[in-house]
Amino acid sequence: MHYLVPDLSPLIALPSLLSPVAAHIQPELTGLAEVPETHAWPTLHDRPYGVDDRVPVVDLALPDAVRLVGRACEEWGAFLLTGHGVPVELLRRIEEQGRRLFSLSAAHKLRAARCDGTSTGYGSAFISKFFSKQFWSEGFTVVGSPREDARKIWPDGHQDFCGAIEEYSRLMDDLARRLMHLMLLFLGLSDEEISWVGPLKAQHEAVPALQLNYYPRCPEPDRAMGLAEHTDSSLVTIIHQSSGVAGLQLLRDGDGGGAARWVAVAPITGALVVIVGDLFQVMSNGRFRSVVHRAVVDRTRARISVAYFCGPPAELKISPIGKLMGSGRGPAYRGVTWPEYLRLKKKLYNEALASLRLSAGKGGEKEKLEVYISS
């Protein structure tokens, strides 16, 4: 499968994507007896844990999947998805290829280190620049085709890796389209109206973005951070995480004004994690909210995650859908393209979405409220 890949340099600001500088300074973490000061986080337990909270599980094969998906997006901004039709064997293959990659020596992986002006390859999370401490993780980014970077690592043995990545990306693209269709049905759009929503109408023009993350075993998991809290810049993110190894946590708003709390996303074999991204919050005019999440590490077991970021084509501006504004209510956010928003995210981090908010009564005429439902 071949992709026509445009200039992808703005994609370096995806929450889980990588920094070319950090790629060269991350030490070998596997086998360390203690967490070095460079990786020791003092604020790991900054909020309480929701031990009784359970992230909703949605079976896509159920007849009321629209309601279940919509409620989960409204109340949580995320859910575990079963009945999605992605073969368990493919999930096993993609995880196996991730382990194959990350088991290589650092020198070997750095053959595909990201360089200035590129948005793919090996390294650590771009958001590390916002923190004085480093993350207990490493990653590999694929935007478009994986073949160029894979050949740098395995000149003669990259076929299995690339085959798994390309098949996984293709199925994730189809699944993301199905999920967004259900989400928009729940919000009150008809099938005909959804067919004219820009991100779905032009989804075939979007370039697939995939992030493989590896979280090694950690001798002191209470002192290390796998990946700091963030929201995703996508429309929707779909994540496969290692079976049996917890690590992903969602920030759940406090009930009745109470304190927000961290809720663990317990891995279920064959289930995928779906996360509402910032751009879907914009498109839904705030009806669905992107969820803050992070990754923690484990003392005895390493963990792999594979995240698929579904975003719009680079030139397509995302604005609130007119039908979702309600009587007398204008757009809550100004329109923005994905590359523009990624640049904001790179500069403002978790304040990027707030920077798009419009004051009450502003923006309606300026944005023309066409918002990608066109005739």
Side-chain angles (χ1 to χ4, degrees), residues 92-158:
R92 184 198 64 77
R93 281 174 53 209
I94 198 78
E95 186 174 332
E96 180 181 84
Q97 291 302 318
R99 293 187 186 280
R100 177 191 174 205
L101 169 67
F102 292 117
S103 67
L104 299 171
S105 68
H108 200 144
K109 288 176 285 194
L110 285 171
R111 295 177 185 176
R114 287 180 64 238
C115 304
D116 291 337
T118 65
S119 55
T120 64
Y122 171 78
S124 54
F126 109 90
I127 59 174
S128 59
K129 73 175 187 177
F130 292 98
F131 302 95
S132 60
K133 301 296 184 177
Q134 295 185 46
F135 300 135
W136 200 270
S137 60
E138 53 187 299
F140 190 87
T141 308
V142 178
V143 182
S145 171
R147 294 187 177 272
E148 182 178 353
D149 284 320
R151 286 192 188 100
K152 297 175 184 176
I153 296 174
W154 301 291
D156 300 314
H158 59 276

Side-chain angles (χ1 to χ4, degrees), residues 41-49 131 222 225 227-230 249-251 259-263 292 294 296 350:
W41 285 63
T43 57
L44 194 62
H45 304 291
D46 55 337
R47 297 185 178 93
Y49 291 87
F131 302 95
D222 288 339
M225 177 71 73
L227 192 64
E229 63 182 67
H230 62 279
Q249 296 180 341
L250 309 178
L251 188 61
R261 55 199 183 272
W262 290 112
V263 179
V292 174
R294 69 178 186 178
V296 297
N350 283 342

Side-chain angles (χ1 to χ4, degrees), residues 78-243:
F79 54 93
L80 284 154
L81 183 68
T82 62
H84 44 67
V86 179
V88 173
E89 173 61 19
L90 177 58
L91 299 179
R92 184 198 64 77
R93 281 174 53 209
I94 198 78
E95 186 174 332
E96 180 181 84
Q97 291 302 318
R99 293 187 186 280
R100 177 191 174 205
L101 169 67
F102 292 117
S103 67
L104 299 171
S105 68
H108 200 144
K109 288 176 285 194
L110 285 171
R111 295 177 185 176
R114 287 180 64 238
C115 304
D116 291 337
T118 65
S119 55
T120 64
Y122 171 78
S124 54
F126 109 90
I127 59 174
S128 59
K129 73 175 187 177
F130 292 98
F131 302 95
S132 60
K133 301 296 184 177
Q134 295 185 46
F135 300 135
W136 200 270
S137 60
E138 53 187 299
F140 190 87
T141 308
V142 178
V143 182
S145 171
R147 294 187 177 272
E148 182 178 353
D149 284 320
R151 286 192 188 100
K152 297 175 184 176
I153 296 174
W154 301 291
D156 300 314
H158 59 276
Q159 292 84 357
D160 288 347
F161 178 85
C162 293
I165 292 290
E166 289 169 349
E167 183 178 356
Y168 187 81
S169 294
R170 185 169 59 253
L171 292 183
M172 289 300 105
D173 181 71
D174 291 341
L175 180 58
R177 180 188 291 269
R178 290 166 58 197
L179 286 169
M180 289 192 293
H181 191 102
L182 297 178
M183 292 159 72
L184 292 171
L185 284 174
F186 179 84
L187 291 173
L189 272 68
S190 67
D191 287 323
E192 174 66 18
E193 290 169 326
I194 291 171
S195 70
W196 289 103
V197 172
L200 276 75
K201 183 180 179 182
Q203 185 63 30
H204 64 284
E205 300 174 13
V207 177
L210 202 69
Q211 176 71 21
L212 289 80
N213 284 330
Y214 178 64
Y215 305 92
R217 294 188 300 272
C218 180
E220 299 174 285
D222 288 339
R223 299 183 66 217
M225 177 71 73
L227 192 64
E229 63 182 67
H230 62 279
T231 59
D232 285 349
S233 305
S234 56
L235 288 161
V236 172
T237 303
I238 305 174
I239 304 172
H240 165 65
Q241 53 180 348
S242 300
S243 299

